[in-house]
Amino acid sequence: MFRGGPISVAEYMEEVLTNPKAGFYINRDVFGAEGEFITSPEVSQMFGEMVGVWAMCLWEQMGQPNRMNLVELGPGRGTLMVDLLRWSFFFPGSAKFKSFTESLHVHLVECSPALQKLQHQNLKCMAEDSTGENVEKRTISTLAGTPVSWHAALEQVPSGIPTIIIAHEFCDALPVHQFQPTPATLFLVKRCKWAAAEEQEKLEHIEAIRKHKFINIFDNLGTADLSAYVDFSSVRHSAEEASGAEPCHLGLLNSSLLKYFKHENE
């Protein structure tokens, strides 16, 4: 119940996770062994480094543009971006890596003021030294001399130049709608047409995680993460449809990288 009446599952997720006063992600660091859950970048710096390799390969396929947006949605502590920039800047013996790093403008889409502050700190950001009264000062990550900007929503990121978007452990925290079976279920069938039969049953599943354990989704609101199952096939097709005539490449890296790490550690 909310505002005197029922609310949708999507509204419930949005309030629990991003309410400006008591949202799960808004006022604290929830990541790592001391937090509520651990993500891949916190396990090994190799994860961010491998994402950097992928990003540079994609930059090459784009024709090595001299200006490119590197966008991360929900950057957490900024660990992935820290490892990516540090790797690309310090990799020895190649002018190509230097050109890649110099082309970047990093855009972090983050709604949490507390996490923005932590990302600024971990990326070792500082105001750019600039001369001239009418020159707007940029924020620069001293890890690689790369400009960094923060935005509350993806729509605020400047467009018009080649862009790579990284969304690690992000889509599962987006508010989702759930539907009860009715004669109008044809809509759902169409929406889930890219999901395999065994995947479709999971699309209505929402979990709550606190202190690395699954709990009831209504327990002590704002103190646990809510996670919905993601149909990545639909994400891929939606991205392709939204891009229209513009070329769009969606690389689903997480499972492949984790399998690689598992093999290396055996």
Side-chain angles (χ1 to χ4, degrees):
M1 305 292 288
F2 185 64
R3 293 189 298 269
I7 62 174
S8 68
V9 172
E11 289 176 299
Y12 177 76
M13 287 187 69
E14 184 175 6
E15 284 296 315
V16 169
L17 297 179
T18 60
N19 179 280
K21 293 184 178 180
F24 174 73
Y25 286 107
I26 296 301
N27 298 314
R28 60 197 180 100
D29 176 11
V30 299
F31 303 95
E34 301 301 319
E36 312 300 337
F37 54 86
I38 299 176
T39 58
S40 303
E42 304 294 338
V43 175
S44 170
Q45 70 184 53
M46 290 176 63
F47 191 89
E49 292 169 352
M50 293 296 289
V51 174
V53 172
W54 169 80
M56 198 189 78
C57 289
L58 199 54
W59 169 76
E60 284 190 291
Q61 294 173 25
M62 294 176 176
Q64 301 185 17
N66 57 15
R67 294 177 60 237
M68 185 177 75
N69 288 335
L70 181 61
V71 182
E72 185 174 5
L73 310 180
R77 291 172 166 173
T79 306
L80 187 154
M81 190 60 68
V82 166
D83 293 333
L84 185 157
L85 292 178
R86 187 168 49 203
W87 163 84
S88 61
F89 183 73
F90 288 106
F91 196 93
S94 175
K96 186 183 297 183
F97 288 89
K98 185 173 184 291
S99 298
F100 168 67
T101 304
E102 290 177 347
S103 73
L104 299 179
H105 188 140
V106 172
H107 295 273
L108 302 179
V109 178
E110 177 60 69
C111 65
S112 166
L115 290 177
Q116 283 188 15
K117 184 177 180 180
L118 189 58
Q119 293 153 15
H120 188 283
Q121 174 184 324
N122 289 338
L123 284 162
K124 302 187 185 306
C125 290
M126 60 183 300
E128 181 182 39
D129 291 330
S130 60
T131 57
E133 297 179 358
N134 298 323
V135 178
E136 183 178 355
K137 287 189 176 182
R138 302 183 301 173
T139 298
I140 301 295
S141 169
T142 58
L143 293 174
T146 307
V148 182
S149 300
W150 278 265
H151 312 275
L154 178 59
E155 292 79 6
Q156 298 173 1
V157 176
S159 58
I161 64 173
T163 299
I164 294 176
I165 299 176
I166 299 170
H168 177 65
E169 300 286 358
F170 174 80
C171 294
D172 65 304
L174 292 177
V176 297
H177 289 286
Q178 286 189 338
F179 299 87
Q180 291 181 330
T182 69
T185 53
L186 284 178
F187 171 79
L188 276 182
V189 173
K190 181 180 179 181
R191 186 69 189 90
C192 302
K193 64 183 178 180
W194 295 296
E198 64 272 15
E199 300 288 299
Q200 291 187 21
E201 296 181 1
K202 303 176 184 178
L203 295 179
E204 297 294 312
H205 187 53
I206 295 177
E207 299 172 327
I209 303 98
R210 183 196 299 136
K211 295 298 180 184
H212 312 278
K213 295 181 180 179
F214 294 109
I215 63 169
N216 188 290
I217 65 171
F218 300 110
D219 182 41
N220 203 0
L221 306 187
T223 66
D225 186 28
L226 296 184
S227 177
Y229 186 83
V230 180
D231 174 12
F232 283 106
S233 296
S234 289
V235 173
R236 178 188 296 274
H237 284 276
S238 296
E240 291 172 347
E241 289 176 356
S243 67
E246 297 297 323
C248 174
H249 174 80
L250 185 64
L252 304 179
L253 294 168
N254 195 43
S255 60
S256 299
L257 285 175
L258 291 178
K259 289 176 182 177
Y260 170 80
F261 293 147
K262 180 177 183 295
H263 173 74
E264 288 296 304
N265 292 322
E266 287 178 347

